[in-house]
Amino acid sequence: MERLAFKMKLNKGQKGAYKKRHDQLWPELKKLLKDNGVSEYSIFLDEETYTLFAFQKVSGAGGSQDLANNPIVKKWWDFMADIMEVNPDNSPVSIPLEELFYLE
């Protein structure tokens, strides 16, 4: 099992919308993630900077960031594009983070 972490940027004032959308995560997206080995997926918010910190465990070939060509993922990106920093294809601007310490 591999642990992945990355950061993204939420638009100011969009905490409520972001939380609501994730509280109502589409069943087909949840299934897609789990079917592709993603588990224990958490996203935290630093309210001072609006930085989102994401963590996930993966047992497959890659994490959620490797599902870019899936139509469900593209639809989710379009749905989220108005409340966060995105690339021209509406994918979230996502910066991988290097793990420097782990206590099991």
Side-chain angles (χ1 to χ4, degrees):
M1 180 102 27
E2 184 179 10
R3 293 176 311 281
L4 301 177
F6 51 95
K7 64 181 181 174
M8 301 171 288
K9 196 73 154 189
L10 187 62
N11 293 340
K12 205 169 197 175
Q14 296 299 325
K15 175 184 172 182
Y18 190 88
K19 177 150 179 34
K20 181 179 179 182
R21 292 178 193 189
H22 281 79
D23 286 347
Q24 299 171 352
L25 188 67
W26 304 336
E28 63 270 27
L29 181 54
K30 184 176 182 179
K31 182 178 181 336
L32 176 68
L33 291 169
K34 289 187 174 282
D35 287 352
N36 281 276
V38 177
S39 65
E40 292 190 42
Y41 191 171
S42 299
I43 302 173
F44 300 86
L45 173 65
D46 175 353
E47 290 193 60
E48 290 181 22
T49 64
Y50 288 89
T51 299
L52 297 163
F53 166 77
F55 166 83
Q56 56 190 229
K57 286 187 176 179
V58 294
S59 60
S64 62
Q65 306 298 296
D66 297 312
L67 298 172
N69 292 320
N70 187 287
I72 297 169
V73 171
K74 289 182 180 206
K75 185 178 173 184
W76 180 258
W77 289 349
D78 293 344
F79 179 57
M80 298 298 290
D82 64 322
I83 64 170
M84 60 189 308
E85 191 175 301
V86 296
N87 295 303
D89 66 353
N90 280 346
S91 64
V93 173
S94 176
I95 300 164
L97 299 173
E98 178 184 1
E99 181 177 84
L100 297 181
F101 173 78
Y102 175 67
L103 175 67
E104 187 168 19

